[in-house]
Amino acid sequence: MTENKTKETESSVEEFINTVEDQKKRQDSFELLKLFQEVSGFEPKMWGDSIIGFGSYHYKYDSGREGDFLLIGFSPRKNAISLYMSCDIHGQHAGLLSRLGKFKSGKSCLYINKLEDIDKEVLKELAKASIEFTLAKYP
């Protein structure tokens, strides 16, 4: 079994955000920091070199692979801000996504260019739904 490479670290979240070259992404990152902390109730932690996570859960797949991962989080990447959430985006959470605004999606990530492109209140609802979805799946 391969081990999950993305693990919680003791690195400083604020120091990491301050290294983000794009001023707008840096500003949005500090705003997301507050928003995700408020919604989750967890302190931000660095996961790997570039992901900021809030809370964690233990997963175990049918294949036997298991590990720990962040409940919700984000990363200010060069091309977009990646929002890490475990929602059922094609099922029960599709309605929320339809109200979110401008984004692209992957399996468990949403990609936004800037916070002004999305509705932050809908993002809060989506983050709460993601936490509930994940904890129900991996109690």
Side-chain angles (χ1 to χ4, degrees):
M1 272 310 130
T2 60
E3 191 174 317
N4 190 352
K5 295 177 185 176
T6 306
K7 295 182 178 183
E8 186 178 318
T9 72
E10 294 299 318
S11 298
S12 167
V13 170
E14 287 190 11
E15 283 180 22
F16 167 69
I17 293 174
N18 282 323
T19 67
V20 174
E21 290 182 24
D22 182 281
Q23 182 180 353
K24 181 65 180 139
K25 277 197 176 66
R26 191 169 52 248
Q27 179 184 341
D28 284 353
S29 294
F30 279 115
E31 193 169 339
L32 281 168
L33 194 67
K34 291 176 189 171
L35 187 147
F36 276 22
Q37 187 170 2
E38 174 190 321
V39 167
S40 72
F42 293 104
E43 292 293 320
K45 300 283 186 176
M46 290 300 301
W47 285 73
D49 295 334
S50 61
I51 299 174
I52 300 165
F54 300 81
S56 65
Y57 68 98
H58 187 79
Y59 62 86
K60 185 170 184 177
Y61 298 141
D62 291 338
S63 66
R65 181 177 174 178
E66 64 182 294
D68 297 302
F69 202 62
L70 52 104
L71 273 174
I72 59 172
F74 70 93
S75 182
R77 307 272 185 204
K78 186 173 185 172
N79 293 331
I81 298 172
S82 300
L83 305 174
Y84 296 93
M85 293 190 248
S86 300
C87 293
D88 179 11
I89 62 173
H90 301 292
Q92 69 187 45
H93 300 114
L96 280 174
L97 287 174
S98 71
R99 297 185 295 124
L100 183 61
K102 184 178 175 186
F103 71 92
K104 293 181 182 176
S105 65
K107 186 171 183 176
S108 62
C109 290
L110 301 176
Y111 305 99
I112 62 170
N113 291 323
K114 55 189 180 296
L115 277 178
E116 285 82 21
D117 288 344
I118 62 169
D119 183 321
K120 288 180 263 186
E121 291 305 312
V122 174
L123 178 59
K124 287 179 184 180
E125 290 180 57
L126 201 54
K128 287 177 190 175
S130 176
I131 292 169
E132 291 170 7
F133 179 82
T134 303
L135 293 178
K137 188 170 182 176
Y138 301 104

